[in-house]
Amino acid sequence: MNYLLVLVGAMAVSVSMVPILARLAPRLGLMDAPGQRKVHQRPVPRVGGIAVVCGALLSVGAFSDVDPLLASYLIGSGVLFGFGLWDDAAEIGHYWKFLGQFLAVMPVVGAGLYVTSLPFVGGPVTPVVGLTVTVVAMVGMINAVNHSDGLDGLAGGEVLLTLAGIALIAYLYDGRTTLAIVSGTLGGVLGFLRYNNHPARVFMGDSGSQFLGFTVAFLLVAITQRTATDLTPSVVLLLAGLPVADILVVFYKRISGGMNWFRATRNHLHHRLLDLGFSQVETVTVIYSIQVALVSTGIALAHAPDWLLVGIYLVTVAVTFGAVAMAERVGWQRVRGNRKVGATDDPGWSRWMVVAPRRFIGAAIPLYLAGTSLLVTDVSPWTGRAAAAMSAMLMLVFLFVRRAHSLIHRAVLYITVGVISYEAGMQLTLQGWSAVAESILFVLLLVSVVVAVMFSPGRRKVEFRPTSTDYLAVLILLAGLAISGGALLETQETRLIVEALILFYGVELIMTEKRERWHMLSTATLGSAMILALRTAF
């Protein structure tokens, strides 16, 4: 199975559905209004979960062999998605939500997936104990992720880090079903996060957050009970990460304060960091950093004793929440400076740093796309069909969508570039100097993007700005390379992902600064897609 194809397919569905659903959200009654415990100031479409779920499940179902275990996951996901969508539209009570969560878990345990060993327990547990623990733990994980969805990009980013850790373990143990689900979910989340950076244009809603919690819970049980049975049971704590500790602390504060367990309050970790003066992006970045530390430690010490893993988790949680509590107690507040980072007082130097990287990116990416479409020796039928479809969509968008910065315009362009770069990575075999030249090209593209961001002129109404998702992508890449000792760079899949990320950042930079609909990038993308489609047809 081609897991990269599953990921790209899910991301393509997700990223293309979001702008369409966002326009339909008011008619569907799926708008998230501002509230006392919410941080947004205007109604935001709550439809991202639909795109995430559709992208993940359609891609997994289309490219995977559905066995009983995978079927139980798909059924449970569908049930939970239905209840979540109902809640997004009608704000159902927590009792109905719990019913949906238990109904979603039942097919999974019915398929025989449940915990057989627990931390600090010498031997296997009885089926009754295992089933009970599994149901409670999975429902708890669903609610943990659901409650962490309080800031732009937060829940999706935390889950993405957990999924990346699970994917690495599944890859090492050749867990095919696990890898298929991880790949599809990663693609769905990545497509959604494109529109969920602060300030978010869409939210995922309960339909998305509960699905992600269910997926993480399912994968954690599956990877320890089916894929890698020699892992230490306590590793699931570190892989699940901060959402579990956060919801437990919240419940403790509610109970100690005499409040209803399930009544929404403003005492989650992200709320408390905001109250200390951190911005949304800073808050999300802090939580991402803690999450990647926990997940990376879990992978690195996956076979360590239970007491060590639990101890590391408890110490990390204690330090995190203890530091926040101490800051609250002494009245500490985050103070920001007013100096713009990356600015320069030298007009000549500034001009070179602003203009040169943008000119290089604007020329290199179109040339790469055009060269790829001509040099690929054997265009796959799937790529040909996808290229034909994207060519038609690009032509319609360029002709009839007036706004050059419309979500539809960007989404179609990103997907087309992704299809072309995927075909290049899979079919274009370079050796000797040509391989060196390709590596140099992508290194120069990466350096150009970094320099362009650092020396952003700040004069334009719209300009390229790094987001929390950019930080998340770098974190995942660096953590994966550190854990694998650099071995990940030797795999074709990792190389394709790195190259695709560099291309996407370059395209983002170009699209942010171009005012017109027709420019070198759009023309080269359309022409390259048409060439791939025609080469397949003839």
Side-chain angles (χ1 to χ4, degrees):
M1 181 189 303
N2 192 323
Y3 302 107
L4 186 60
L5 185 60
V6 177
L7 187 150
V8 172
M11 185 167 60
V13 172
S14 178
V15 78
S16 58
M17 285 186 66
V18 169
I20 299 171
L21 292 168
R23 292 181 179 275
L24 297 175
R27 300 180 185 178
L28 299 174
L30 294 173
M31 297 295 293
D32 195 323
Q36 183 177 1
R37 63 179 296 273
K38 299 178 180 180
V39 297
H40 59 286
Q41 304 299 320
R42 59 179 178 78
V44 178
R46 189 159 48 189
V47 294
I50 303 175
V52 172
V53 175
C54 289
L57 298 188
L58 289 175
S59 185
V60 171
F63 299 111
S64 306
D65 296 325
V66 181
D67 57 17
L69 183 59
L70 181 55
S72 71
Y73 165 76
L74 296 175
I75 293 170
S77 298
V79 170
L80 196 58
F81 173 65
F83 274 85
L85 196 58
W86 182 19
D87 184 58
D88 289 336
E91 298 284 347
I92 62 177
H94 53 266
Y95 291 113
W96 283 107
K97 292 173 71 172
F98 274 122
L99 175 62
Q101 292 163 7
F102 279 106
L103 290 177
V105 173
M106 287 301 108
V108 176
V109 295
L113 183 66
Y114 58 88
V115 173
T116 58
S117 60
L118 295 173
F120 306 109
V121 176
V125 298
T126 64
V128 173
V129 173
L131 287 168
T132 303
V133 170
T134 302
V135 172
V136 172
M138 290 188 70
V139 170
M141 192 68 218
I142 293 170
N143 284 283
V145 174
N146 180 230
H147 282 253
S148 71
D149 187 26
L151 292 182
D152 300 342
L154 180 56
E158 285 184 297
V159 168
L160 204 66
L161 289 167
T162 295
L163 291 175
I166 294 173
L168 183 56
I169 294 175
Y171 177 79
L172 295 174
Y173 282 83
D174 194 26
R176 298 185 179 183
T177 300
T178 305
L179 273 175
I181 295 173
V182 170
S183 300
T185 310
L186 279 172
V189 175
L190 285 170
F192 161 73
L193 283 177
R194 172 66 185 80
Y195 307 97
N196 192 233
N197 287 310
H198 180 70
R201 284 171 279 184
V202 292
F203 294 157
M204 71 169 68
D206 272 27
S207 62
S209 61
Q210 290 197 86
F211 164 75
L212 292 181
F214 172 74
T215 300
V216 169
F218 175 90
L219 290 171
L220 288 176
V221 178
I223 203 168
T224 54
Q225 306 304 314
R226 296 285 182 91
T227 306
T229 56
D230 60 334
L231 296 181
T232 304
S234 297
V235 74
V236 297
L237 262 183
L238 292 165
L239 292 176
L242 209 50
V244 173
D246 186 41
I247 195 171
L248 291 176
V249 171
V250 167
F251 280 156
Y252 168 76
K253 294 178 74 70
R254 290 176 185 174
I255 295 170
S256 61
M259 295 178 286
N260 187 323
W261 281 37
F262 306 111
R263 183 180 180 181
T265 54
R266 191 182 165 84
N267 53 9
H268 286 279
L269 179 60
H270 55 268
H271 290 134
R272 298 169 70 182
L273 289 173
L274 288 175
D275 292 340
L276 289 174
F278 289 91
S279 69
Q280 279 210 46
V281 174
E282 290 171 340
T283 298
V284 170
T285 302
V286 168
I287 295 176
Y288 282 174
S289 301
I290 300 170
Q291 181 76 350
V292 78
L294 290 171
V295 173
S296 300
T297 304
I299 298 171
L301 303 177
H303 298 93
D306 284 313
W307 64 266
L308 180 59
L309 297 182
V310 174
I312 292 173
Y313 185 80
L314 293 178
V315 168
T316 304
V317 170
V319 170
T320 300
F321 287 91
V324 172
M326 182 177 295
E328 293 170 335
R329 191 175 300 113
V330 302
W332 181 87
Q333 283 288 306
R334 165 86 166 90
V335 178
R336 299 185 188 89
N338 295 322
R339 186 177 183 274
K340 180 176 176 61
V341 177
T344 178
D345 298 325
D346 183 350
W349 180 257
S350 175
R351 176 174 175 79
W352 277 105
M353 292 297 99
V354 170
V355 175
R358 287 167 169 78
R359 294 279 176 84
F360 177 76
I361 295 168
I365 293 181
L367 288 174
Y368 173 79
L369 296 176
T372 293
S373 63
L374 294 171
L375 293 176
V376 169
T377 54
D378 185 17
V379 182
S380 66
W382 179 90
T383 301
R385 291 191 293 269
M390 299 316 300
S391 299
M393 292 183 66
L394 277 172
M395 185 64 71
L396 291 174
V397 168
F398 292 157
L399 290 176
F400 298 107
V401 178
R402 296 182 179 180
R403 292 180 56 204
H405 287 276
S406 69
L407 294 180
I408 297 176
H409 186 181
R410 288 175 176 242
V412 175
L413 197 65
Y414 288 134
I415 296 170
T416 308
V417 171
V419 169
I420 297 171
S421 64
Y422 171 81
E423 185 67 12
M426 295 301 296
Q427 303 293 341
L428 188 58
T429 303
L430 300 177
Q431 296 179 348
W433 286 107
S434 58
V436 173
E438 184 191 34
S439 300
I440 293 174
L441 171 65
F442 277 97
V443 169
L444 290 176
L445 279 173
L446 177 60
V447 172
S448 298
V449 170
V450 172
V451 172
V453 172
M454 289 178 61
F455 291 89
S456 183
R459 299 188 301 267
R460 299 171 174 84
K461 183 178 179 181
V462 179
E463 60 177 309
F464 184 93
R465 299 180 186 274
T467 66
S468 54
T469 304
D470 302 328
Y471 177 72
L472 179 67
V474 173
L475 269 182
I476 292 176
L477 180 60
L478 293 178
L481 292 176
I483 294 169
S484 66
L488 278 180
L489 281 180
E490 300 176 4
T491 65
Q492 183 185 36
E493 291 81 3
T494 304
R495 181 176 58 81
L496 287 177
I497 292 172
V498 171
E499 291 180 355
L501 283 174
I502 295 172
L503 286 174
F504 285 149
Y505 281 125
V507 170
E508 174 79 0
L509 186 69
I510 296 172
M511 288 294 294
T512 300
E513 301 190 348
K514 292 295 183 182
R515 300 287 91 191
E516 63 277 7
R517 285 177 293 173
W518 289 100
H519 43 75
M520 187 181 296
L521 175 64
S522 60
T523 304
T525 305
L526 175 60
S528 301
M530 293 178 66
I531 290 172
L532 289 177
L534 290 172
R535 289 186 61 184
T536 305
F538 299 102

